[in-house]
Amino acid sequence: MLKYLIEKEFKQIRRNSFIPRIIVGMTLMMMLVMPWAANQEVRNIKLCVVDNDKSSLSGRLVHKLASSDYFITRSTAATYSEAMKEIEAGRADMILEIGNGFEEDFMSNQGGRAMISVNAVNAAKGGLGAVYLNTMLSDFAAEIAVQSGPSSLPFSCSAAAYNQAVSQTPDNGQTRLSGMPAAMPASITVVEQTSGQGYLSSPVSVQTLSASFTIIPHYKFNPRLDYRIFMVPALMVMLLTLLCGFLPALNIVSEKEKGTIEQINVSPVGRISFVLAKLIPYWIMGFVVFSIVLMLAWWVYGLVPAGSLLTIYIFAATYILVVSAIGLVVSNYSGTIQQAMFLIFFFLIIFILMSGLFTPIRSMPEWAQAITIVNPLKYFMKVMRMIYLMGSSFGDLNGEYLSLCIFALAMGSWAVLSYRKRS
């Protein structure tokens, strides 16, 4: 009996020409477009410069910023008020105001002043932009320090920036390092201001740069800090969730609308056979799609799992059952396709946003972290990232597998019990 029911499901899928198209479209969109678009790296920050000094040193600083990949110095303004109008009009994200006498103060060791104002409506973008600009000012000070030599050290910079600049000189900076004081006086004083709702707040920090120690960071598991490597495994999980959650949710309810389910209801097909006949085709379909996205990740991004491929498939097999069962539960409780669409969309949006796809779960409030315990997407996404990037073994992921098995058992039982035959 089960064999014929599964055969019937495959025939229905084959006759619906829309389903193969949407599967191919979603797969290509998720693997070829989303890794480039869903990127939290902040680049092309629109910078407006107010150069009150108009000296050769300030011009050199502006030229250095313009050559950066992070900033686009599209506009300059004569006054700070005009620059704020650029931010309010959306033509600028940040303002760098170079104070009067910048070069003179800089070279006389009195501290050249520069002020950064940031549009902080997008807090992450504003914060990162301020960090980038601070770093570039530090690098600029380091370059001048190396070129001026120890006899005329009118400024200071961070130790890391100075060391980097020294390492880029032809003689590795050895001759200029002799006689350098342990801690150099500050030269560039950066005043940060944030502009969120409304206008500017009061200055939040005054940063004095001084040499103290050297930090050499080691980036483990993602040495190039490539955000796509972090996102691709998670996008594979999201694709499986959308395909294997939406399609089963629409399956039973579409049969209700067409009336074909009445023929099954009057047959001796049991609940378990009926639910298995609905689950197995989407389980197979999910496996095929998952294999294709694994090959696409290798072919397009050169991304191969650092851990076992067999472990990935074991988790994927369990996870597809979970999301397909959730779709069947939604379909059992829905009377129309519209109801099923809204219900499954509601749950999937919550699952995706609270899965750690974009924001770390540990950064969420404690009550939100408690909700994520009943989110199966969270477990499989964590598993994919740990296997792909860190090479974790099945033994390292026992807890996640146990959680997915509990979800599969609970949701499968719910799907069987919630299916009602009509007389």
Side-chain angles (χ1 to χ4, degrees):
M1 179 66 72
L2 182 60
K3 172 188 172 185
Y4 297 109
L5 288 174
I6 293 174
E7 185 178 347
K8 163 190 161 294
E9 294 298 327
F10 276 115
K11 285 182 178 177
Q12 281 187 336
I13 294 172
R14 193 171 65 245
R15 288 171 183 168
N16 190 341
S17 60
F18 180 74
I19 291 180
R21 293 176 187 174
I22 194 66
I23 290 175
V24 172
M26 286 183 69
T27 302
L28 294 179
M29 178 66 71
M30 201 65 72
M31 294 304 298
L32 302 182
V33 178
M34 292 299 291
W36 301 90
N39 193 331
Q40 291 190 352
E41 292 180 358
V42 178
R43 292 180 179 271
N44 300 326
I45 302 170
K46 291 177 284 188
L47 179 66
C48 182
V49 178
V50 182
D51 187 356
N52 294 314
D53 192 44
K54 301 188 185 308
S55 62
S56 59
L57 192 64
S58 63
R60 185 175 169 181
L61 174 60
V62 174
H63 179 73
K64 177 180 177 63
L65 296 174
S67 62
S68 166
D69 293 334
Y70 294 103
F71 298 100
I72 301 175
T73 52
R74 284 182 176 172
S75 60
T76 57
T79 64
Y80 186 80
S81 299
E82 292 182 7
M84 276 307 303
K85 292 179 181 177
E86 294 290 309
I87 283 188
E88 291 168 358
R91 293 190 290 269
D93 301 313
M94 300 179 64
I95 299 172
L96 172 64
E97 183 177 21
I98 302 173
N100 281 320
F102 176 77
E103 181 175 4
E104 182 180 352
D105 294 341
F106 200 85
M107 302 307 293
S108 61
N109 196 23
Q110 295 180 7
R113 292 185 61 83
M115 184 175 72
I116 300 172
S117 297
V118 184
N119 182 351
V121 171
N122 184 335
K125 182 179 180 181
L128 286 175
V131 170
Y132 292 162
L133 192 49
N134 267 324
T135 302
M136 293 201 67
L137 290 175
S138 180
D139 291 344
F140 178 74
E143 290 176 8
I144 303 299
V146 172
Q147 293 171 5
S148 299
S151 59
S152 57
L153 280 174
F155 42 76
S156 73
C157 59
S158 69
Y162 181 81
N163 291 334
Q164 182 180 1
V166 164
S167 65
Q168 294 172 352
T169 57
D171 59 354
N172 206 28
Q174 295 300 318
T175 58
R176 295 184 175 91
L177 281 174
S178 60
M180 178 176 287
M184 296 175 287
S187 174
I188 295 181
T189 300
V190 180
V191 181
E192 294 181 359
Q193 289 186 323
T194 56
S195 173
Q197 293 180 349
Y199 191 47
L200 296 176
S201 63
S202 58
V204 295
S205 68
V206 176
Q207 183 178 359
T208 301
L209 307 173
S210 61
S212 56
F213 50 84
T214 301
I215 299 174
I216 302 175
H218 286 189
Y219 301 109
K220 301 293 186 183
F221 311 118
N222 187 4
R224 291 178 297 171
L225 300 181
D226 190 344
Y227 196 71
R228 288 187 295 275
I229 292 178
F230 176 72
M231 287 300 293
V232 167
L235 292 174
M236 294 179 191
V237 180
M238 202 164 76
L239 176 64
L240 276 186
T241 307
L242 293 174
L243 287 179
C244 299
F246 263 104
L247 294 178
L250 302 180
N251 187 286
I252 296 179
V253 76
S254 65
E255 290 204 40
K256 289 179 182 176
E257 290 192 340
K258 293 176 182 175
T260 54
I261 200 169
E262 297 299 333
Q263 300 172 15
I264 297 177
N265 289 339
V266 297
S267 68
V269 176
R271 289 181 179 180
I272 296 179
S273 298
F274 177 80
V275 171
L276 286 177
K278 295 293 183 186
L279 281 178
I280 292 174
Y282 294 104
W283 186 76
I284 296 173
M285 188 185 302
F287 245 71
V288 173
V289 172
F290 189 66
S291 300
I292 293 173
V293 296
L294 289 177
M295 287 189 287
L296 278 177
W298 165 72
W299 184 50
V300 178
Y301 305 103
L303 188 59
V304 294
S308 169
L309 196 60
L310 177 62
T311 305
I312 291 179
Y313 271 103
I314 292 174
F315 275 92
T318 311
Y319 180 74
I320 293 172
L321 285 179
V322 174
V323 289
S324 299
I326 292 174
L328 290 182
V329 170
V330 170
S331 190
N332 286 338
Y333 285 102
S334 303
T336 62
I337 289 181
Q338 287 83 0
Q339 290 178 6
M341 286 285 292
F342 275 112
L343 268 177
I344 197 67
F345 186 74
F346 170 75
F347 285 115
L348 289 186
I349 284 293
I350 293 176
F351 285 165
I352 291 171
L353 293 181
M354 302 192 73
S355 64
L357 175 63
F358 297 109
T359 55
I361 291 177
R362 289 184 181 177
S363 301
M364 298 178 185
E366 291 186 1
W367 59 266
Q369 294 184 36
I371 295 176
T372 63
I373 294 174
V374 293
N375 183 0
L377 191 59
K378 157 193 163 182
Y379 299 101
F380 191 40
M381 198 168 287
K382 179 182 177 182
V383 165
M384 287 293 288
R385 282 172 170 164
M386 289 185 69
I387 296 177
Y388 251 94
L389 302 181
M390 301 174 65
S392 300
S393 65
F394 189 86
D396 300 326
L397 304 166
N398 280 332
E400 284 73 15
Y401 188 69
L402 179 62
S403 300
L404 287 178
C405 287
I406 293 174
F407 276 115
L409 182 63
M411 299 311 299
S413 302
W414 194 356
V416 172
L417 296 175
S418 59
Y419 172 64
R420 294 282 186 273
K421 279 196 168 188
R422 298 174 183 172
S423 59

